[in-house]
Amino acid sequence: KTQVEQSPQSLVVRQGENCVLQCNYSVTPDNHLRWFKQDTGKGLVSLTVLVDQKDKTSNGRYSATLDKDAKHSTLHITATLLDDTATYICVVGDRGSALGRLHFGAGTQLIVIP
Amino acid sequence: EAAVTQSPRNKVAVTGGKVTLSCNQTNNHNNMYWYRQDTGHGLRLIHYSYGAGSTEKGDIPDGYKASRPSQENFSLILELATPSQTSVYFCASGERSKNTEVFFGKGTRLTVV
């Protein structure tokens, strides 16, 4: 059973608009949650990591929230650019140690059009 | 800057042939991982390693072997490649820290015909 569910599967927005990506998970324990950006044919690049029970982070136009009670995270992208076109992947780490495992969502494909 | 380098970036192999995917990291990380990515699936863990000389089975190890001859290098070996192993393979390295930082290579696209 998939332990990390992302929605929507795909999303099309116009340049300059804002968007919100969702991540729900059932991983236990949930040590941390990380959002990655994957450009087509490229590797994964970390955008942000959330650690606390109720956490918020901000990294330029990207901001994220985590609620471990609800096992839910959001990634907000403001004023989208064409270069934001990519797949965004939610990853939950079940431990913070070398024994920790990463649980990957299937990703949300974001397409930004002019 | 953290770096994980995979080679080759693209590979076409014949069914039954042997394939070796290589990964090199300059981050001095203890942990290294091999994943495969298929459409509609999240990345799935094939093998991982805690350090030189160690290899551990991940979630989908069947048909794959791994080798960690040094801190820097981690290889994924397909002794008898099959078309079902056609995929994009990612190597990653990580450190034992609270947030388990991890860095990914750019991927290897393997096609088995």
Side-chain angles (χ1 to χ4, degrees):
Chain A
K1 183 177 181 297
T2 303
Q3 294 192 69
V4 181
E5 298 276 1
Q6 292 188 241
S7 62
Q9 278 192 321
S10 62
L11 180 63
V12 179
V13 300
R14 290 200 178 277
Q15 183 177 351
E17 292 180 342
N18 303 332
C19 64
V20 182
L21 283 56
Q22 313 280 350
C23 178
N24 290 287
Y25 63 91
S26 57
V27 176
T28 300
D30 48 350
N31 177 269
H32 64 276
L33 185 147
R34 192 179 293 275
W35 284 94
F36 286 92
K37 178 184 180 186
Q38 184 180 26
D39 292 312
T40 301
K42 300 289 179 63
L44 283 69
V45 176
S46 178
L47 295 175
T48 190
V49 61
L50 302 118
V51 178
D52 295 333
Q53 196 71 16
K54 293 193 191 300
D55 205 354
K56 289 183 180 181
T57 62
S58 182
N59 178 13
R61 294 181 298 104
Y62 301 104
S63 60
T65 65
L66 173 62
D67 182 344
K68 287 188 177 182
D69 292 329
K71 291 189 179 294
H72 177 71
S73 176
T74 61
L75 177 68
H76 298 247
I77 307 175
T78 59
T80 52
L81 304 172
L82 297 178
D83 283 348
D84 291 333
T85 294
T87 298
Y88 293 82
I89 298 174
C90 172
V91 182
V92 180
D94 58 20
R95 281 172 181 82
S97 70
L99 298 178
R101 299 287 292 272
L102 300 178
H103 303 263
F104 291 79
T108 291
Q109 185 180 17
L110 173 66
I111 300 171
V112 181
I113 60 175
Chain B
E1 183 177 312
V4 178
T5 304
Q6 294 182 229
S7 63
R9 293 294 315 281
N10 289 280
K11 172 77 176 177
V12 178
V14 295
T15 298
K18 181 177 180 178
V19 177
T20 300
L21 306 184
S22 300
C23 179
N24 176 274
Q25 56 108 352
T26 58
N27 311 318
N28 198 31
H29 286 161
N30 290 303
N31 300 347
M32 295 186 75
Y33 311 85
W34 275 106
Y35 295 91
R36 63 178 283 176
Q37 185 178 38
D38 301 290
T39 304
H41 291 275
L43 270 72
R44 292 181 289 175
L45 183 64
I46 306 170
H47 284 288
Y48 59 103
S49 168
Y50 293 132
S54 96
T55 61
E56 306 289 337
K57 293 181 179 180
D59 299 321
I60 53 166
D62 293 345
Y64 302 94
K65 292 183 180 179
S67 174
R68 184 87 182 269
S70 65
Q71 179 84 337
E72 297 79 17
N73 295 295
F74 190 38
S75 297
L76 185 68
I77 303 153
L78 291 67
E79 294 280 2
L80 294 169
T82 68
S84 65
Q85 294 176 312
T86 293
S87 187
V88 180
Y89 292 85
F90 285 95
C91 176
S93 74
E95 189 50 83
R96 294 174 186 148
S97 66
K98 182 173 187 282
N99 297 337
T100 313
E101 182 65 270
V102 61
F103 297 94
F104 284 84
K106 294 183 178 180
T108 294
R109 183 174 294 277
L110 174 66
T111 302
V112 183
V113 298

